[in-house]
């Protein structure tokens, strides 16, 4: 798979989301961080905002739910017609059942791991998912430093998917720049969330630069 770039709108201009989404139309998807100020110490977008973003976005929405009780709330987001919904393994009580509900609603199902959560926490259930998100920072805030210590877990996930023949996108989120994206690509990531690295320059140019940097380091 070629490198997928999903800019995080957490770094966009909140007062001009429709314009900002237009600026990243060359990306593969718009990454939307939904935070509830409980699972993580920050509050971002609720359901009405996501529904509006879905209506105006020229590219698919890739939702990352950093919320408590995703078993209750995640299906409502999937029902809005978004492309992908990822929830945290640490927050879900019945992740496989939830993945089935998301897929039944027409969304891709993703599961995320915080930096301190081992790959073994999800290894046996990955066949129920389309995507595994390895957090490369602690979830909750943008602009953090890329944690290289998460790379062995990413490599473990890549080798597992390769060994078992599992079709699974491996996404990384946190501190992704043209300097760090190659590290993640070398360890097996194929989908990259970048916020500041996209929106602090000319978005279309930054997206292409990230895509090229990842392509130079793709891990087979």
């Amino acid at each position: 798979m070629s490198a997928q770039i999903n800019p995080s709108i957490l770094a966009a201009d909140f007062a001009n989301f429709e314009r900002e989404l237009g600026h990243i139309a060359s990306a593969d998807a718009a990454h939307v961080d939904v935070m509830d100020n409980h699972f993580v110490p920050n509050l971002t977008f609720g359901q009405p905002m996501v529904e509006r973003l879905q209506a105006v976005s020229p590219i698919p929405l890739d939702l990352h739910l950093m919320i408590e009780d995703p078993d209750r709330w995640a299906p409502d987001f999937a029902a809005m017609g978004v492309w992908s919904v990822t929830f945290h393994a640490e927050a879900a009580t019945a992740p496989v059942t939830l993945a089935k509900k998301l897929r039944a609603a027409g969304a891709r199902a993703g599961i995320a791991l915080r930096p301190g959560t081992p790959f073994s926490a999800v290894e046996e259930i990955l066949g129920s998912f389309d995507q595994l998100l390895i957090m490369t920072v602690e979830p909750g805030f943008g602009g953090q430093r890329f944690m290289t210590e998460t790379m062995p877990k990413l490599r473990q996930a890549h080798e597992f998917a390769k060994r078992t023949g599992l079709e699974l996108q491996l996404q990384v989120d946190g501190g992704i720049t043209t300097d760090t994206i190659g590290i993640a690509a070398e360890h097996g990531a194929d989908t990259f969330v970048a916020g500041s690295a996209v929106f602090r320059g000319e978005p279309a140019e930054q997206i292409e630069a990230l895509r090229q940097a990842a392509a130079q380091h793709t891990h087979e």
Side-chain angles (χ1 to χ4, degrees):
M1 175 184 293
S2 60
Q4 308 289 298
I5 307 298
N6 297 2
S8 171
I9 64 169
L10 194 63
D13 180 355
F14 282 21
N16 295 282
F17 272 132
E18 186 169 6
R19 182 196 67 192
E20 296 284 71
L21 287 166
H23 288 166
I24 60 169
S26 62
D28 297 283
H31 190 81
V32 182
D33 291 306
V34 177
M35 307 181 194
D36 65 357
N37 201 31
H38 293 284
F39 181 71
V40 292
N42 201 358
L43 184 66
T44 56
F45 314 115
Q47 291 182 13
M49 176 63 79
V50 171
E51 191 168 22
R52 185 65 186 136
L53 291 170
Q54 172 67 12
V56 302
S57 179
I59 54 177
L61 297 189
D62 172 31
L63 267 57
H64 176 194
L65 305 184
M66 288 172 266
I67 63 173
E68 291 184 350
D69 199 12
D71 305 81
R72 162 66 181 85
W73 299 108
D76 292 342
F77 285 99
M80 295 177 187
V82 301
W83 175 60
S84 184
V85 178
T86 295
F87 60 88
H88 270 265
E90 303 88 356
T93 57
V96 172
T97 298
L98 180 52
K100 291 178 181 177
K101 290 180 179 179
L102 297 177
R103 285 174 161 179
R108 295 165 71 256
I111 193 163
L113 297 177
R114 301 181 87 142
T117 303
F119 175 68
S120 59
V122 296
E123 182 175 351
E124 294 184 358
I125 63 172
L126 282 181
S128 297
F129 291 88
D130 303 291
Q131 175 172 278
L132 172 64
L133 168 54
I134 302 291
M135 290 298 297
T136 45
V137 298
E138 287 294 341
F141 296 92
Q144 298 183 66
R145 178 190 64 83
F146 178 81
M147 297 173 65
T148 56
E149 56 266 39
T150 61
M151 291 298 95
K153 179 166 55 177
L154 175 59
R155 176 64 64 85
Q156 189 178 8
H158 174 78
E159 295 299 336
F160 174 83
K162 185 177 180 180
R163 182 173 67 253
T164 60
L166 189 62
E167 292 188 10
L168 184 73
Q169 280 188 250
L170 293 177
Q171 185 178 84
V172 286
D173 181 2
I176 298 298
T177 67
T178 51
D179 293 325
T180 61
I181 195 169
I183 300 171
E186 287 177 351
H187 284 81
D190 51 51
T191 306
F192 307 88
V193 177
S196 302
V198 170
F199 286 101
R200 287 184 181 173
E202 170 54 46
E205 294 178 2
Q206 297 300 105
I207 290 166
E208 183 58 26
L210 287 164
R211 191 173 276 128
Q212 291 184 12
Q216 294 173 9
H217 298 276
T218 301
H219 181 73
E220 297 300 333

